[in-house]
């Protein structure tokens, strides 16, 4: 592959750091030109005390991959996955030093925090006015005031959810319907390792759950909303450390805590082979997810145009059919299996380059 084979158009570099991999893609306009998933083994990452310290290492791997494939560092935009920054409205944001600094010192630690820093550093290597962006990070917060109130003033509700994929799914649905995302009232459910459910009112997600910290339905890796008193008793039981308990809420919770695996295909197979426990757990996840979707219909005063199911588990007909049977009386249910964060990021950058969307300033 040589540089002269790259088609003409807006060239966009997409960088998506995950816990054990860094996904990289080059898009020309809305078409993927080249992509890879760079895997990181435990020994490679063990040399870094903190996740954020990996940014030089991961950035260089991206540069090496581009050089190996003879792709010049000549992009119109570099867009990275947004991290666990402060709550902000949805949209595309131009990365600046303030965002990089606040991400570097963010309280919540995750590899996604590397995205904006790597994008910023790669964009600055160029001398053609290339800008770095993020789009719809997990901390997008457009909640109405009522949604922020919990039963304790010490613990306001937070929105940490699959904003990027949910919004990309909403725009895909709207395009199929020949309208704009802002024309619809939608309930969107992302079915992944964590499950997020959001009420989208005319282009704004006015209510959703904190899927990162386990709030909401039970999922493969998240406990879901737990009985508060029982959780307090467990905290003071002396049986677990704080870190162990956090993992019992998110990471080593949900289905994996009950049955020892997060592999939904394996759990469904166990159920099909007669494992009653596996069947009950899958049905419980369906039950609680449908209940969360139904609750969001009240947020929208029952005026729901469609319910969209997306994420990795949306590939399962058993799961999507089970949810649909419980909520299709509210609105038509549409299935958009999987998630394509790379395409979603590229299309957000392209919309800015074409003047179809305005990049916001982070401050």
């Amino acid at each position: 592959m040589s540089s002269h084979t790259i088609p003409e158009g807006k060239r966009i570099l997409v960088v998506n750091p995950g816990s054990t991999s860094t996904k990289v893609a080059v898009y020309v306009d809305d078409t993927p030109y080249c992509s890879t998933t760079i895997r990181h083994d435990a020994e490679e990452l063990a040399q870094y005390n903190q996740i954020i310290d990996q940014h030089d290492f991961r950035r260089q791997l991206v540069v090496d991959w581009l050089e190996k494939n003879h792709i010049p560092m000549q992009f119109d935009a570099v867009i990275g996955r947004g991290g666990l920054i402060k709550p902000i409205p949805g949209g595309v944001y131009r990365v600046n030093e303030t965002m990089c600094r606040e991400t570097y010192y963010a309280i919540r630690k995750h590899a996604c925090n590397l995205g904006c820093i790597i994008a910023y550093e790669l964009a600055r290597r160029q001398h053609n006015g290339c800008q770095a962006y993020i789009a719809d990070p997990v901390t997008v917060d457009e909640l109405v005031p009522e949604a922020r109130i919990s039963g304790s003033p010490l613990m306001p509700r937070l929105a940490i959810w699959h904003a990027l994929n949910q919004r990309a799914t909403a725009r895909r649905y709207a395009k199929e319907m020949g309208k704009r995302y802002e024309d619809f009232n939608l309930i969107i459910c992302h079915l992944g390792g964590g499950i997020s459910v959001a009420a989208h009112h005319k282009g704004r997600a006015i209510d959703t759950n904190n899927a990162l910290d386990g709030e909401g339905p039970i999922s493969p890796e998240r406990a879901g909303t737990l009985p508060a008193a029982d959780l307090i008793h467990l905290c003071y039981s002396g049986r677990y450390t704080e870190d162990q308990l956090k993992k019992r809420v998110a990471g080593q919770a949900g289905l994996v805590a009950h049955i020892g695996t997060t592999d939904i295909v394996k759990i469904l197979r166990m159920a099909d082979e007669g494992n009653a426990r596996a069947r009950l757990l899958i049905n419980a996840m369906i039950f609680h997810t449908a209940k969360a979707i139904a609750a969001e219909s009240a947020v929208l005063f029952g005026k729901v145009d469609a319910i969209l199911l997306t994420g990795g588990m949306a590939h399962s007909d058993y799961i999507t059919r089970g949810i649909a049977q419980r909520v299709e009386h509210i609105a038509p249910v549409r299935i958009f299996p999987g998630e394509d964060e790379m395409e979603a990021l590229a299309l957000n950058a392209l919309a800015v380059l074409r003047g179809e969307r305005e990049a916001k300033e982070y401050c």
Side-chain angles (χ1 to χ4, degrees):
M1 189 180 296
S2 59
S3 60
H4 71 268
T5 63
I6 301 178
E8 291 297 320
K10 299 295 186 182
R11 297 182 182 182
I12 302 166
L13 176 62
V14 185
V15 182
N16 184 351
S19 299
T20 59
S21 69
T22 302
K23 295 179 181 179
V24 190
V26 173
Y27 275 71
V28 180
D29 292 331
D30 57 359
T31 303
Y33 170 71
C34 189
S35 64
T36 190
T37 298
I38 304 170
R39 304 288 180 185
H40 312 303
D41 62 41
E43 289 184 4
E44 281 183 316
L45 301 182
Q47 61 185 304
Y48 301 98
N49 292 328
Q50 300 183 72
I51 292 174
I52 203 69
D53 296 332
Q54 300 169 15
H55 74 276
D56 285 340
F57 162 70
R58 296 211 196 199
R59 184 194 63 237
Q60 189 58 46
L61 289 175
V62 174
V63 172
D64 292 345
W65 176 78
L66 291 171
E67 292 177 350
K68 179 182 176 182
N69 289 280
H70 308 288
I71 300 173
M73 188 69 74
Q74 296 173 1
F75 297 101
D76 296 284
V78 182
I79 187 163
R81 182 182 179 188
L84 290 159
I85 51 180
K86 64 187 177 185
I88 55 175
V92 183
Y93 284 80
R94 188 176 287 105
V95 181
N96 55 27
E97 291 186 4
T98 300
M99 181 187 292
C100 290
R101 182 175 61 253
E102 291 184 4
T103 302
Y104 193 94
Y105 294 106
I107 295 174
R108 288 181 169 85
K109 312 299 181 183
H110 191 276
C112 65
N113 288 349
L114 300 166
C116 74
I117 296 173
I118 294 174
Y120 186 66
E121 291 171 343
L122 292 176
R124 292 185 69 187
R125 287 190 174 204
Q126 303 175 64
H127 304 285
N128 60 350
C130 176
Q131 294 288 318
Y133 303 98
I134 64 166
D136 291 327
V138 295
T139 54
V140 165
D141 186 343
E142 301 167 339
L143 303 185
V144 293
E146 295 89 339
R148 302 181 194 281
I149 303 298
S150 78
S152 169
L154 300 175
M155 293 177 281
R157 292 187 67 245
L158 299 175
I160 304 181
W161 57 297
H162 302 89
L164 181 64
N165 186 49
Q166 285 209 25
R167 277 227 158 85
T169 300
R171 291 193 174 101
R172 181 178 166 190
Y173 169 77
K175 185 176 181 180
E176 290 182 4
M177 301 299 290
K179 295 184 178 181
R180 303 176 310 143
Y181 163 45
E182 292 79 6
D183 295 328
F184 293 99
N185 278 355
L186 303 168
I187 299 173
I188 307 180
C189 175
H190 178 103
L191 298 160
I195 294 175
S196 64
V197 183
H200 296 248
H201 174 63
K202 308 300 183 185
R204 179 185 171 198
I206 62 173
D207 186 49
T208 189
N209 57 307
N210 180 348
L212 177 69
D213 292 337
E215 182 191 32
I218 180 176
S219 72
E221 297 177 9
R222 309 290 198 273
T225 302
L226 296 168
D230 290 342
L231 183 59
I232 292 170
H233 293 325
L234 203 59
C235 289
Y236 285 90
S237 68
R239 295 163 56 192
Y240 303 101
T241 65
E242 180 180 352
D243 285 342
Q244 288 173 331
L245 279 171
K246 285 180 178 178
K247 290 178 181 178
R248 293 284 179 139
V249 171
Q252 297 174 6
L255 300 188
V256 68
H258 282 281
I259 207 164
T261 181
T262 61
D263 188 336
I264 203 68
V265 175
K266 182 178 179 180
I267 298 172
L268 285 165
R269 188 185 308 119
M270 293 166 64
D272 288 340
E273 292 172 352
N275 187 317
R277 181 66 173 169
R279 178 71 68 188
L280 175 61
L281 289 170
I282 291 290
N283 288 344
M285 183 178 69
I286 291 169
F287 176 96
H288 289 286
T289 302
K291 186 168 67 171
I293 291 171
E296 295 298 353
S297 72
V299 171
L300 295 170
F301 294 90
K303 297 176 181 178
V304 184
D305 296 301
I307 296 167
L308 312 182
L309 305 181
T310 184
M313 289 194 294
H315 284 289
S316 166
D317 179 67
Y318 183 85
I319 291 172
T320 56
R321 188 174 68 251
I323 294 171
Q325 287 173 341
R326 291 181 178 272
V327 300
E328 59 191 356
H329 66 282
I330 298 169
V333 178
R334 290 286 306 278
I335 315 299
F336 294 87
E339 59 180 311
D340 194 339
E341 292 179 331
M342 305 302 279
E343 180 181 71
L345 288 168
L347 293 180
N348 273 287
L350 181 62
V352 171
L353 293 174
R354 288 178 170 173
E356 299 167 354
R357 203 166 298 151
E358 185 175 350
K360 300 179 180 181
E361 296 298 328
Y362 183 88
C363 57

